[in-house]
Amino acid sequence: GLLGLLLTGGGRRLIGTGFKVGGAALIGGLAYKAYEDWKAGRDPAAVAPAGQPGELPAPTDPGFAPEGEAAEALARKLVQAMIAAARADGHVTEEERRQIDAALERLGPEDAAAALLRAELDAPLDVRRIAALATTEAEAAEIYTASLLVAGEQTLEEKGYLAMLAAALNLDDGLVKHLQARAASLG
């Protein structure tokens, strides 16, 4: 539900034009495929377009496909990372905030998802706090992937934020290149 708010309607601008299909499954599939290619020593420049979401391999590593409460926890982390990345250029525009607030109104003031989103929008931007959300290498890859997808066409500030995030997540440079190639393959 948390990702759905960001991935539909007015939230689509928040996460960038390259994010044409939704959800944690896409993020997990992209991160898993990039991770798999990196581990196999494949060239990130040889990445083919991702095509349809069903064409991405289903992660066989449970770190990329948690279930139950672990999936909910990962979804919350991804939402936090996505909002931080959206704010990396220094602001959320008035129009973006209006659209987000309208979506939050539909959830209602007592909704836990709305409370999380409001808190994240109002929190100081801190790349180390976002990086600290990752407890595994798979989560680190997915948090970085979600951030890449949100950044879309990157400003200088967003590029700096992503570089700091990759460093704070302790991601290998080769893995970062694979994650970037996979995110770019969405078109």
Side-chain angles (χ1 to χ4, degrees):
L2 293 174
L3 282 174
L5 176 63
L6 291 173
L7 301 176
T8 59
R12 191 170 302 275
R13 166 63 184 94
L14 178 65
I15 59 166
T17 58
F19 207 45
K20 295 186 172 70
V21 293
L26 173 67
I27 293 168
L30 284 173
Y32 173 72
K33 181 61 178 153
Y35 185 82
E36 186 179 66
D37 288 348
W38 170 65
K39 284 290 190 185
R42 295 184 185 105
D43 181 5
V47 170
Q52 299 301 313
E55 294 173 18
L56 290 169
T60 56
D61 181 329
F64 287 94
E67 296 179 358
E69 288 182 28
E72 286 295 317
L74 177 59
R76 284 189 296 275
K77 293 174 185 184
L78 294 178
V79 168
Q80 289 176 276
M82 292 164 73
I83 292 172
R87 295 178 53 220
D89 62 359
H91 66 283
V92 173
T93 68
E94 287 182 34
E95 178 59 23
E96 288 169 334
R97 187 63 192 239
R98 238 187 327 276
Q99 291 172 345
I100 293 166
D101 287 342
L104 293 175
E105 285 295 318
R106 287 191 296 275
L107 288 175
E110 302 301 318
D111 190 273
L116 173 69
L117 292 169
R118 282 188 185 97
E120 197 59 42
L121 282 165
D122 294 333
L125 186 60
D126 181 356
V127 72
R128 288 182 299 280
R129 180 179 63 85
I130 297 301
L133 296 171
T135 58
T136 66
E137 191 172 39
E139 283 186 0
E142 289 185 76
I143 285 170
Y144 186 77
T145 301
S147 300
L148 276 172
L149 293 172
V150 170
E153 306 238 348
Q154 297 168 14
T155 65
L156 188 57
E157 294 88 354
E158 289 167 328
K159 287 178 184 178
Y161 175 82
L162 291 169
M164 289 187 301
L165 181 61
L169 288 166
N170 294 316
L171 294 175
D172 181 272
D173 289 341
L175 177 55
V176 169
K177 288 177 184 168
H178 276 280
L179 294 168
Q180 292 168 340
R182 280 284 153 203
S185 76
L186 288 178

